[in-house]
Amino acid sequence: MTYRTFILAVLALATLAAPGGAQQKKVKKDKKLITAEEIADVSVNTAYDAVQKLRSDWLRAGQRQITVYGRTGRTGDGGTEAGSGLDTSSYATTKLAVFVDGTEVGGPEELQRIQSHRVEEMRYLSGSDAQQQYGSRYAAGVIQVKLKTS
């Protein structure tokens, strides 16, 4: 092997090993985060479309019906489970909530009002994480939307 061939082989190997070369590391996507870069890579018009296309499991998780029972002092019939003190006639159903720049705006349908190019990032909080941060009303989870500043 000549000196020139050796140098070319070393340069070729160095190029492959350099960042951005053929052996570039794949970045693992955060399943609870959608970035503006990800949204730009797909053809969507609204934040709802972006969630549906990139992380549809967020919407499915928020569709689960969660029933919260109220306690009573009664036992037996009349709307309570025998001996449990649970009033089965009064319950509340929670649904996935959406917060935009820290303010609650409603449910997932509100994402249809947000143009996708205005979104900096969206983050999903599971029911338990949402309850810790926002309270028991958010047992179905929360989508936090951060808009780009103009």
Side-chain angles (χ1 to χ4, degrees), residues 1 9 21 31 38 43 46 58 71 77 80 108 112 119 125 128:
M1 183 186 295
K31 291 182 180 182
E38 283 184 89
S43 178
T46 67
W58 293 6
R71 289 223 171 256
D77 293 337
T80 46
Q112 294 174 348
V119 175
L125 298 178
S128 59

Side-chain angles (χ1 to χ4, degrees), residues 1-13:
M1 183 186 295
T2 67
Y3 181 73
R4 186 176 178 186
T5 307
F6 175 75
I7 294 297
L8 289 174
V10 169
L11 287 173
L13 287 173

Side-chain angles (χ1 to χ4, degrees), residues 66-132:
I66 299 170
T67 305
V68 181
Y69 293 95
R71 289 223 171 256
T72 67
R74 301 178 301 166
T75 58
D77 293 337
T80 46
E81 291 182 17
S84 71
L86 290 178
D87 183 352
T88 56
S89 62
S90 69
Y91 62 91
T93 302
T94 63
K95 70 175 188 172
L96 184 68
V98 173
F99 282 71
V100 176
D101 292 333
T103 302
E104 184 177 3
V105 295
E109 66 279 354
E110 293 300 319
L111 294 171
Q112 294 174 348
R113 298 175 190 259
I114 303 169
Q115 295 174 342
S116 60
H117 70 274
R118 296 184 55 219
V119 175
E120 184 174 325
E121 70 176 32
M122 291 187 280
R123 183 172 300 277
Y124 173 74
L125 298 178
S126 66
S128 59
D129 291 341
Q131 284 180 308
Q132 255 184 335

